[in-house]
Structures are given as C-alpha cells and as structure tokens.
Amino acid sequence: MGTSGSRADIGHPELLGRIRRLHIEIPPDLEVIRHETDRTDQDGRNIDVWVQDPAHDTTTRLTFDPALDTTPAWSPDGKQLVFSSNRSLNFRLYLKNADGSGSEQEIAEAGADAFNSLDWSPDGKYILTRRHNELWYITMPECTQKPLIQGWVVKAAQFSPDGRWVAYASNESGSMEVYVAPFPAANGKWQVSTGGGQEPRWRKDGKELFYLSADSKMMAATVSAGASFASGSPVFLFQTHRRIPISSQDTFSYDVSADGQKFLIATQVDESAAAPLSVLLNWTSAIGK
C-alpha cells in the first residue's frame, strides 16, 4: 500500500486469513519486499515462523516445533531471525538462520514472564524485547538482559536507524501513545502521537516516524534525532483496515519500506465477497431420484 492508500495485495487471502498472531517485518537489507510473519499452520493447531517472497510467489516455513513460535525479528544483515517460543513451557528467545539451515539456538529466558522479541539494533549488538509488559533489551553476544522502560505497559518498539533512539508505545498517559527515548540510557522521553498511537516504525533515513492511531489510521511525523530529539505535528496518510490484534503476542501488524512509500499491512479479508454458504435441507429425499 502506498502513502496515498492505493492498495496492492501481497499474499493469498487464504494465507492471510490464517495469520492469528500478527508480526510482520521487512528485512533491512532488501529493496524488494520479502517479509516474515508468524501464522497458524494449515491444521489450525500450531503457529510457526514463515518467510514469504512475493516476487517469486514462495512461502517458506522456518520452524517446525509443536509449540507456539512467534514474534520473529530480522538481524540487521538479514541472515538470521530471533523469535519467541514456549517450547520449554515458558517463553524463551531463539536464533534461527533465515535460509532455514542449521538448528535453533536458545539465547534468553524470562521465567514465567511473557517474553517477546521486538527488534534488532542496526549494529547487531542489542535485541529489544518485551518482558511482562515492560521494555527490556539483550546485549549480544553476551545475551545479558537489561531493563529499559518499566512501570507501564509497553507494546511495540523499534530502534532508530542509527541505533541511538527507541520508539515505543506505552500507556503511561492512560492510553496508548507513541514515545521516543534515547538508547541505552532512556533518561528522557518525547511524546510523538496525539490522541492515541501504537506500532511505531522509522523511515530508514530516521527523518520520519510512522504509527497507527487509535482508529487504525496511518499517521506520520517528521523527526529530527541527532544530538537531541524533536518531532513535528503528526499528519494523516490513509485509513488502514488491518487485522485487529487478538493476543498479547500480536506486536506489529505492518512494516514500511526503506523510502517510506510502501506499506505491508496484515489486512482484514473482506468476507462479504466470499461465496455464500448453501445449506441443503431434506437431502435424503433426493437420493435415488
């Protein structure tokens, strides 16, 4: 979808209809859109990590464990994915090669806390996570966990392209709003959204920040994130019809291309266009005629 709201479908409706946990992300090194998502398998009993390449109309399954594998995020070079899984009863984070080779490597656990991977820093040294509704980060390769934003419910978060800032959504004002804080100190914050905001995404040059309003409008704000941070008034781009999150595992329902001109959105399928269901009554009387 472009900034004007013009729409082009990527992925088959039947595939999109099986996406129950929402997490969509475009790899950082590609100009051609290739994205990963977590979605329900065909039998409806399991959720795994998949990579879809629309240019070649291919979809590749990356995880096969009979557990919930969810919230994947690309490494900055696009060669690995980090994801969350409850294959050991509690949620833990694992690394997986993006081409499917090799075995998964466990890198972190959080006991009984809910635990999700959110984003990987541009220099590859940190992974943002959500741990029991708080924002934490993991140092790589030491795999040490450290708190970043505590005391509020934090949902989606993303590193700025230079890795010096983090945009996140939290309810510290009483409703979900988008904020930006310096990283790793987090010794201040700036509110970007007004009237509600969630799922912040940076343009690759770091000069614009996108987010979804409370009524699912795509919004954009120009930003300056050098030695200090400043943002302009948010502007409306277009109305989305995204799949509404249904779980705490639903983090990002969209991503944006490097130039900020194309959006990949998990969109609600228009069920009114589906073929009507026919019910045949007293069908036994038609046997033998």
Side-chain angles (χ1 to χ4, degrees), residues 217-274:
K217 290 183 173 70
M218 187 64 68
M219 308 294 293
T222 58
V223 298
S224 173
S228 61
F229 181 85
S231 64
S233 298
V235 297
F236 166 72
L237 295 182
F238 57 87
Q239 178 69 55
T240 74
H241 301 280
R242 67 186 179 111
R243 283 280 303 272
I244 301 300
I246 58 175
S247 164
S248 61
Q249 303 295 321
D250 298 337
T251 51
F252 282 107
S253 60
Y254 80 98
D255 202 357
V256 59
S257 61
D259 61 4
Q261 296 300 303
K262 296 182 179 66
F263 295 81
L264 183 64
I265 305 172
T267 300
Q268 182 70 43
V269 176
D270 182 8
E271 297 182 355
S272 63

Side-chain angles (χ1 to χ4, degrees), residues 9 16 67 90 148 194 211 216 254:
D9 292 332
L16 296 176
N90 297 323
L148 186 63
T194 57
Y211 67 90
S216 297
Y254 80 98

Side-chain angles (χ1 to χ4, degrees), residues 148-162:
L148 186 63
I149 305 293
Q150 295 181 290
W152 316 104
V153 174
V154 175
K155 290 191 175 179
Q158 188 184 36
F159 286 107
S160 63
D162 64 4

Side-chain angles (χ1 to χ4, degrees), residues 14-182:
E14 59 270 22
L15 181 151
L16 296 176
R18 289 198 296 269
I19 298 177
R20 292 177 55 191
R21 310 286 188 211
L22 298 183
H23 191 97
I24 289 180
E25 188 168 279
I26 301 171
D29 61 333
L30 295 181
E31 293 299 327
V32 177
I33 290 178
R34 178 168 63 93
H35 70 279
E36 48 75 12
T37 184
D38 43 15
R39 68 180 179 93
T40 308
D41 299 336
Q42 291 186 1
D43 62 8
R45 299 179 181 179
N46 191 32
I47 292 176
D48 282 293
V49 176
W50 298 70
V51 174
Q52 185 180 9
D53 184 351
H56 299 92
D57 195 25
T58 60
T59 303
T60 304
R61 180 177 174 179
L62 289 186
T63 62
F64 295 86
D65 193 272
L68 175 64
D69 298 332
T70 186
T71 60
W74 294 98
S75 64
D77 60 7
K79 294 181 179 179
Q80 287 185 302
L81 291 164
V82 58
F83 65 93
S84 175
S85 177
N86 65 348
R87 58 187 61 180
S88 298
L89 295 182
N90 297 323
F91 278 98
R92 303 183 183 194
L93 298 190
Y94 297 83
L95 294 183
K96 176 74 175 181
N97 290 336
D99 62 5
S101 65
S103 57
E104 289 120 0
Q105 173 190 352
E106 181 184 325
I107 62 168
E109 61 91 17
D113 291 344
F115 200 29
N116 302 106
S117 47
L118 296 176
D119 193 29
W120 206 323
S121 66
D123 60 7
K125 295 181 179 180
Y126 308 99
I127 294 175
L128 279 179
T129 68
R130 185 178 63 173
R131 177 173 173 170
H132 192 56
N133 291 326
E134 298 177 338
L135 190 59
W136 288 56
Y137 66 94
I138 299 173
T139 62
M140 298 294 287
E142 302 85 1
C143 298
T144 301
Q145 297 186 56
K146 298 182 179 181
L148 186 63
I149 305 293
Q150 295 181 290
W152 316 104
V153 174
V154 175
K155 290 191 175 179
Q158 188 184 36
F159 286 107
S160 63
D162 64 4
R164 298 173 59 186
W165 306 87
V166 170
Y168 64 96
S170 85
N171 69 344
E172 54 194 274
S173 68
S175 60
M176 296 303 296
E177 297 284 0
V178 171
Y179 300 86
V180 170

